[in-house]
Amino acid sequence: MASYIQAPPTAHPGAPSPVHATGRTLNWGVVSTGRIVAHVIADLQSLGDANVIAVSSRSEERARIFAEEHDIEWAFGSYQAMFDEPEVEAVYIATPHGQHFEIAMAALKSGKHVVCEKSLTINAHEARALVAEARERDLFLMEAVWSRFTPVFARALEILESGELGEVSWVQADLGFKAEYDPNWRLFNPADGGGALLDMSIYPLTWAIGAMGFPTSVQASADLNEDGVDIQNAITLAYPGVRHAQLMTTLTATPPREARVACSNGWLSTNAPLHNPTKLFIHPAKGLSRTEVFEPVGNNYTYQFREATRCIQQGLNESPTMPWEHSVNTMAIFDGIRHQLGIRYPNDLARTS
């Protein structure tokens, strides 16, 4: 089978650690001081050729406190003020989904390279606009789907591509957790792109795309809460031949959080969580089953930042592991699912998808 997602250089066996420098040092700025950001930028700061020099927040005080805690030189009370600083070359955006388009577009217009958290935007129209801007300005743009860049994911695709397990027939993958309702939390706020779909479904979908590519048809069902966001969804993907994927994400339960790929001559699966597993379980129909174990580097965000850094150093506008086309196609899938489910966000009203 062909490889639908190209592994980055540091995901190959025997590759140097992703913390090792691959070129000149880049100066980074970070947009957001949210809870997850501290875990992520620790991995960015671990790179030998990355210098995180600035952070921005809607509150200059929060930015200053965050900067002091993480040894960052400059703190800004707005993202545009940080983008106006000429020494900042690249930015990592970790705000809620609903703000991604506005902030990423402002960064590109300010001449900054951009790594933006998933989902890249709210809809495909916004994603296409960002790609067009990055192309016109000759800047790097990448959606931070960190799972794609890890050695365990690359190894899983290598096993499937080798033919050891035969032809892929179906993928099952699930992700979620029990979330306590809070209308002001981004997960439940329509203005932020709330719901399980845009926050988590990219990870099960990534396993389906890696194993079988993009589907020919998509069917979805979901439960929506009073705010109009999905608190649980089930997605079925169809492909040419006898191939399907069943994906589920939830904010109402505690699922296994594993991925399983069934083939004509065996199957493989991950341990939890599927977006950052440490083990692959390989079960040939004939022969011994085995487990392959992978040690994380930091929190494992290191690999996506190594790839972004490498691409910028080499003058690439997009990563072969996370190409623009894949981000746009993913947003188009989510647009279609939201149309089926009746989910609309404020960004949709502002920009027709």
Side-chain angles (χ1 to χ4, degrees):
M1 101 174 194
S3 179
Y4 298 104
I5 295 178
Q6 182 176 323
T10 49
H12 295 295
S17 168
V19 304
H20 290 173
T22 52
R24 71 175 185 87
T25 297
L26 298 177
N27 289 333
W28 288 82
V30 177
V31 182
S32 181
T33 56
R35 180 175 55 184
I36 189 62
V37 180
H39 298 286
V40 177
I41 70 162
D43 283 6
L44 175 56
Q45 289 175 313
S46 73
L47 269 60
D49 46 3
N51 187 17
V52 180
I53 64 171
V55 62
S56 72
S57 173
R58 287 174 295 181
S59 164
E60 188 171 350
E61 181 181 1
R62 282 200 301 270
R64 186 170 60 253
I65 293 171
F66 189 92
E68 291 173 354
E69 290 176 345
H70 299 281
D71 195 25
I72 298 172
E73 183 178 0
W74 292 325
F76 294 90
S78 75
Y79 61 77
Q80 190 58 59
M82 187 177 74
F83 297 163
D84 290 339
E85 171 50 57
E87 289 195 36
V88 174
E89 300 174 84
V91 296
Y92 165 64
I93 300 170
T95 59
H97 317 308
Q99 302 169 25
H100 286 178
F101 174 78
E102 174 187 316
I103 297 173
M105 182 61 77
L108 292 170
K109 288 183 178 296
S110 299
K112 310 304 182 186
H113 303 291
V114 173
V115 174
C116 183
E117 269 301 335
K118 54 77 192 167
S119 61
L120 179 62
T121 54
I122 288 292
N123 54 49
H125 178 79
E126 291 181 339
R128 293 187 189 101
L130 289 183
V131 166
E133 191 72 21
R135 179 181 289 114
E136 180 179 347
R137 294 180 180 272
D138 196 24
L139 292 167
F140 181 77
L141 170 68
M142 188 183 83
E143 184 179 13
V145 184
W146 60 309
S147 301
R148 283 185 175 230
F149 303 92
T150 60
V152 63
F153 186 69
R155 176 58 179 154
L157 299 191
E158 181 184 40
I159 292 170
L160 296 176
E161 186 177 1
S162 73
E164 174 190 354
L165 301 177
E167 296 295 321
V168 175
S169 182
W170 57 256
V171 174
Q172 288 183 330
D174 60 83
L175 189 61
F177 64 100
K178 179 68 170 68
E180 295 300 325
Y181 175 72
D182 178 350
N184 298 314
W185 190 11
R186 65 175 182 83
L187 285 178
F188 296 102
N189 187 348
D192 287 338
L197 181 70
L198 292 192
D199 196 70
M200 291 183 287
S201 293
I202 184 62
Y203 294 121
L205 179 62
T206 294
W207 281 93
I209 294 171
M212 296 187 292
F214 283 89
T216 54
S217 68
V218 180
Q219 296 293 322
S221 62
D223 295 292
L224 308 186
N225 71 0
E226 60 269 29
D227 300 309
V229 303
D230 63 301
I231 55 175
Q232 182 164 280
N233 65 65
I235 303 168
T236 299
L237 311 179
Y239 294 82
V242 185
R243 298 188 300 160
H244 294 83
Q246 295 178 317
L247 317 176
M248 178 165 277
T249 53
T250 182
L251 296 172
T252 67
T254 305
R257 302 183 302 152
E258 298 168 351
R260 296 159 292 280
V261 183
C263 307
S264 56
N265 295 322
W267 58 281
L268 67 76
S269 64
T270 71
N271 66 338
L274 63 80
H275 57 290
N276 188 28
T278 58
K279 295 180 181 179
L280 288 177
F281 307 105
I282 302 96
H283 300 270
K286 297 180 181 179
L288 297 176
S289 298
R290 67 184 188 275
T291 300
E292 298 187 9
V293 180
F294 301 79
E295 291 294 328
V297 176
N299 295 304
N300 253 15
Y301 299 102
T302 319
Y303 291 96
Q304 70 176 6
F305 288 120
R306 166 51 54 215
E307 174 65 1
T309 300
R310 179 190 72 84
C311 289
I312 295 170
Q313 290 167 340
Q314 295 182 6
L316 302 178
N317 289 358
E318 58 184 313
S319 164
T321 302
M322 189 71 246
W324 293 340
E325 181 183 15
H326 283 206
S327 291
V328 171
N329 288 349
T330 297
M331 293 315 305
I333 288 175
F334 288 160
D335 284 355
I337 291 172
R338 291 198 295 115
H339 179 74
Q340 292 180 41
L341 302 179
I343 301 171
R344 296 281 285 175
Y345 296 125
N347 288 42
D348 298 320
L349 303 177
R351 304 175 187 93
T352 303
S353 59

